[in-house]
Amino acid sequence: MSGITSAAPAKIAATMDPIFRQIRDLVYKVCGIFQLEEKLYLMADACGRRMKQLGVNTPNEYWQLLTAGPNREAEMRQLLNEVTIGETCLFRSQAQLDALRKVILPELIADKSKQIVKRLRIWSAGCSTGEEPYTLAMNMLEETDHLLKGWKIEILATDLNDRSVETAKKGIYGDYALRSTSEYYKRKYFSVLGEKKLEVRPEVKNLINFSRLNLQDDSRMLFMKGMDLIFCCNVLIYFDGPSKAKVINHYYSNLNFGGYFFLGTSESLLKLNESFRLVHFPGTIGYWKPSLKSGKL
Amino acid sequence: MITSVTETIRERVKAIETTPAIPTIFLPLLELLNLAPERVKLDEVVKLVSYDNTIAAQCLRAASSPLFGLAKAPESIKGAIITLGLRRVQTILLTCCLGNAFPTGDWVLDPIVFWRHSLGCAMICQKFSNKLTSSDGEKAYMAGLLHDIGFLVNCMAFPKEFGVAAALAAREQIPLDEAERASMGFTHCETGRALAENWHIADDMVQVIAHHHAPEESEAAQPLVALVHLSDMLCRVRGMGYGYYERHRVDIMGDPAWGILLKEHKELEGVDLARFTFELDEAIPGVFELVSTIFGGTKKA
């Protein structure tokens, strides 16, 4: 059996120290984030910044610190911070939004149309400073005259960090956070605040309920029931294996049958939960809690 | 009624067979591929390729694609065979031949988009096959490359009818085979099968071409057909579809094809499907590059 050599990597990746590829694989094993070959330079940059801060001279020395150093777990968290830095923005994953509006919403609406209360519940778990829940809210508002006519939408946005939650409630963003937001959405759902700042309009804010929540607080997690969709991007990467498995089990219970769970675009569940089913949509993957009628629980 | 449709397909396919665009070495090469690997002689392939300089040159260029594993283009077909192996070179040759087999005129489908899908599917089939023990990666590649050959038949033999189906698919964002069935009453699976049978392609490949949308209906080679079915779906959700958004969710592990493969390959249970998906993304630029090398053009899928 012959194998195709992996990929068509950027030429830079080919000249890179092979240790960075090893670190990429270690990061995937530990937290489920996969850095594509063509973006391996980002991993190398992140390692470079950590190496500089630590005064480490070679990638090999850094590899030793990550795998055999006394503070390897703390160092891995630091590295993950560097890897995911600057990823947060509104409209971060168009493929997820397309899947949501073009595939998932029609399916959920059809499934739930016979219910007396026409309500959809969405949870942005680990919402940071609000970019994700606002993006979801705007996309839901776009559907209120079509698919979601007559439906009540509730978006719950939680984060561990009080300050992040307070910032999120304000809904004020600058150019960097808005770099993927189209003019259409800027005009329709934001007010100008001056100095290149835009503020989310009240009708968007009104869809969202922000609160502080520790995902490891079992008693509170048990009450987060009845969700149709859960988004949790680049949050679980900081959890160790058992904690992550526990949170994912909570998510599974929190979701209605037929509901969906999304991670970040390059994140995976690492087979930590066998009940969720990995499903593909154009350009993105998600996890599905099989519906009762599918008979595949 | 069914008979008349089948007859029409056969008649129109016969007309394609006589098209001068098919490289003369294509059908003999297919025959060689049907033979057991140990019966194919290096010299036979070299001699065959020497009849067509264009194909030979394309093959040497393609051999240096990241998909095929050589950093530098080999200087001769013989050199390529020694470095890459006979079966790999046959695969590359057939890829080039197939690209030349159909005139790149005014197709209903954008040829670049079509070849990206076919080569993308071939690549995924091979990578998928490599995850399984006792599975022939080259054969899987070939099956992926040929699976949608019926679309070429449709472009050439049923351009008007297929044009309506393709427009319907893009408008409704539904799979092309659904649109074909709805508007034409038959699909590329039937037209592809007619061409494959006419060309005397090996039966395993005929099964793939005829049943890759319903592997459970194939009469033979079910695991191979199932593998192509799953690879085709993955290919379409990872940016190598038919140039429009397909409004669907793909549940690989819930698909009957997964069950068919699992029966033969228990090791499938251990495959990390998410990671496999990310790895496929890495190979996509290589597919695009190869399509440009062989077929030219830079249009985006």
Side-chain angles (χ1 to χ4, degrees):
Chain A
M1 205 162 47
S2 63
I4 290 174
T5 54
S6 81
K11 294 203 166 49
I12 309 167
T15 59
M16 219 171 255
D17 193 313
I19 287 283
F20 293 122
R21 209 163 276 113
Q22 268 174 245
I23 295 175
R24 182 267 303 268
D25 289 342
L26 178 70
V27 165
Y28 182 78
K29 213 168 135 190
V30 170
C31 75
I33 280 203
F34 189 79
Q35 200 78 273
L36 290 180
E37 191 81 9
E38 67 198 42
K39 289 191 174 168
L40 207 56
Y41 69 93
L42 292 176
M43 180 67 77
D45 284 352
C47 292
R49 286 194 293 276
R50 285 304 301 152
M51 285 162 63
K52 201 173 167 189
Q53 282 166 25
L54 294 164
V56 167
N57 292 322
T58 67
N60 195 33
E61 264 180 80
Y62 187 57
W63 168 255
Q64 293 303 323
L65 273 180
L66 271 176
T67 53
N71 298 321
R72 55 187 181 277
E73 284 173 17
E75 184 48 39
M76 178 54 81
R77 274 198 296 279
Q78 295 285 353
L79 177 61
L80 292 177
N81 272 332
E82 291 293 341
V83 168
T84 56
I85 205 164
E87 276 204 359
T88 307
C89 70
L90 288 102
F91 290 85
R92 180 168 54 179
S93 170
Q94 191 55 46
Q96 278 187 357
L97 294 171
D98 285 341
L100 175 62
R101 286 178 60 181
K102 295 183 178 186
V103 187
I104 294 173
L105 276 186
E107 183 188 302
L108 288 177
I109 298 300
D111 279 356
K112 299 181 76 162
S113 59
K114 284 180 190 144
Q115 293 180 7
I116 300 162
V117 182
K118 298 203 178 325
R119 186 181 69 168
L120 276 185
R121 297 193 82 203
I122 303 172
W123 179 14
S124 170
C127 67
S128 184
T129 42
E131 291 83 348
E132 182 177 83
Y134 285 127
T135 303
L136 292 169
M138 286 182 261
N139 275 277
M140 292 300 111
L141 284 171
E142 283 294 295
E143 295 291 349
T144 45
D145 287 337
H146 314 284
L147 270 174
L148 296 175
K149 202 169 187 177
W151 285 73
K152 184 174 165 48
I153 307 298
E154 289 176 11
I155 298 176
L156 205 67
T158 66
D159 200 273
L160 175 66
N161 187 317
D162 282 321
R163 276 188 302 170
S164 295
V165 172
E166 288 313 306
T167 307
K169 282 181 184 170
K170 288 180 188 142
I172 298 169
Y173 299 101
D175 285 346
Y176 190 68
L178 291 162
R179 64 188 184 276
S180 303
T181 308
S182 69
E183 286 304 313
Y184 169 82
Y185 280 95
K186 283 183 192 170
R187 273 199 299 273
K188 194 167 176 184
Y189 296 110
F190 290 85
S191 315
V192 178
L193 261 194
E195 289 183 37
K196 293 184 176 178
K197 297 275 184 195
L198 297 181
E199 182 180 358
V200 177
R201 286 182 191 270
E203 65 265 32
V204 184
K205 288 184 181 176
N206 290 342
L207 280 188
I208 307 169
N209 184 4
F210 286 101
S211 64
R212 183 188 174 276
L213 175 76
N214 181 353
L215 297 173
Q216 302 205 63
D217 182 341
D218 289 339
S219 53
R220 285 202 61 196
M221 288 294 275
L222 287 171
F223 284 100
M224 307 293 285
K225 296 286 181 202
M227 299 295 165
D228 295 296
L229 290 157
I230 300 176
F231 289 80
C232 182
C233 301
N234 295 342
V235 176
L236 297 178
I237 54 174
Y238 299 104
F239 290 34
D240 62 32
S243 311
K244 190 189 281 193
K246 200 166 75 171
V247 174
I248 294 165
N249 286 340
H250 274 303
Y251 286 156
Y252 190 81
S253 310
N254 300 140
L255 272 174
N256 292 327
F257 288 107
Y260 289 90
F261 168 49
F262 280 96
L263 289 162
T265 45
S266 52
E267 236 183 313
S268 102
L269 272 190
L270 284 173
K271 305 190 100 188
L272 282 172
N273 180 303
E274 297 290 334
S275 305
F276 268 123
R277 186 107 113 246
L278 186 149
V279 285
H280 287 80
F281 304 94
T284 191
I285 59 173
Y287 294 88
W288 182 51
K289 178 170 176 173
S291 55
L292 285 168
K293 69 179 180 188
S294 76
K296 288 169 183 165
L297 299 177
Chain B
M1 180 66 189
I2 292 169
T3 314
S4 76
V5 169
T6 312
E7 276 311 308
T8 308
I9 291 172
R10 279 193 190 138
E11 276 167 26
R12 295 207 196 176
V13 164
K14 267 187 189 158
I16 296 173
E17 197 197 11
T18 57
T19 171
I22 298 176
T24 46
I25 67 167
F26 183 58
L27 295 179
L29 195 63
L30 270 181
E31 273 174 35
L32 279 182
L33 271 173
N34 286 345
L35 298 174
E38 62 276 9
R39 289 184 55 204
V40 183
K41 293 192 178 70
L42 186 150
D43 287 344
E44 261 181 289
V45 176
V46 173
K47 192 177 162 197
L48 190 57
V49 179
S50 70
Y51 293 124
D52 194 327
N53 285 336
T54 315
I55 295 288
Q58 270 184 349
C59 175
L60 295 178
R61 278 204 309 276
S64 66
S65 151
L67 283 184
F68 295 126
L70 281 186
K72 191 168 163 276
E75 286 176 7
S76 67
I77 294 293
K78 198 166 184 172
I81 293 172
I82 290 164
T83 324
L84 289 172
L86 187 57
R87 292 204 74 207
R88 172 52 61 94
V89 173
Q90 276 182 293
T91 305
I92 301 172
L93 277 170
L94 205 61
T95 306
C96 297
C97 276
L98 206 56
N100 287 275
F102 297 89
T104 53
D106 194 13
W107 287 18
V108 172
L109 293 176
D110 179 344
I112 298 295
V113 169
F114 173 82
W115 291 117
R116 280 179 181 173
H117 175 73
S118 295
L119 275 166
C121 188
M123 174 272 290
I124 295 173
C125 283
Q126 185 165 44
K127 279 184 175 286
F128 210 147
S129 173
N130 290 347
K131 296 270 176 205
L132 311 173
T133 51
S134 69
S135 179
D136 184 342
E138 296 298 335
K139 190 172 183 180
Y141 175 95
M142 195 51 57
L145 184 69
L146 292 170
H147 80 287
D148 268 348
I149 203 168
F151 282 136
L152 296 181
V153 179
N154 290 356
C155 284
M156 299 186 72
F158 300 93
K160 209 170 151 190
E161 299 90 332
F162 185 50
V164 174
L168 174 68
R171 193 173 61 246
E172 299 294 325
Q173 300 183 321
I174 56 173
L176 256 177
D177 62 304
E178 273 181 35
E180 285 179 315
R181 204 167 290 113
S183 74
M184 295 161 64
F186 59 90
T187 73
H188 61 287
C189 297
E190 284 98 70
T191 53
R193 177 180 203 147
L195 182 67
E197 285 176 347
N198 240 14
W199 282 357
H200 305 293
I201 293 180
D203 188 52
D204 284 4
M205 296 296 159
V206 175
Q207 293 297 320
V208 166
I209 292 163
H211 299 295
H212 64 272
H213 286 292
E216 60 279 17
E217 290 172 14
S218 62
E219 301 113 44
Q222 272 204 353
L224 180 66
V225 182
L227 185 132
V228 174
H229 170 75
L230 297 172
S231 302
D232 176 34
M233 292 201 299
L234 279 171
C235 191
R236 281 152 50 201
V237 290
R238 297 317 284 184
M240 293 182 293
Y242 279 106
Y244 64 92
Y245 190 95
E246 274 187 62
R247 198 185 271 263
H248 68 161
R249 180 192 69 186
V250 170
D251 181 3
I252 295 283
M253 285 182 283
D255 196 284
W258 183 265
I260 293 172
L261 262 189
L262 203 55
K263 260 190 222 163
E264 292 277 321
H265 299 280
K266 296 285 176 225
E267 66 274 23
L268 204 56
E269 278 174 357
V271 171
D272 178 349
L273 191 55
R275 179 165 180 143
F276 181 57
T277 306
F278 298 143
E279 285 170 358
L280 296 181
D281 290 348
E282 292 195 319
I284 292 174
V287 171
F288 283 25
E289 200 181 306
L290 184 61
V291 170
S292 296
T293 304
I294 302 178
F295 311 105
T298 52
K299 275 192 224 171
K300 280 207 152 195

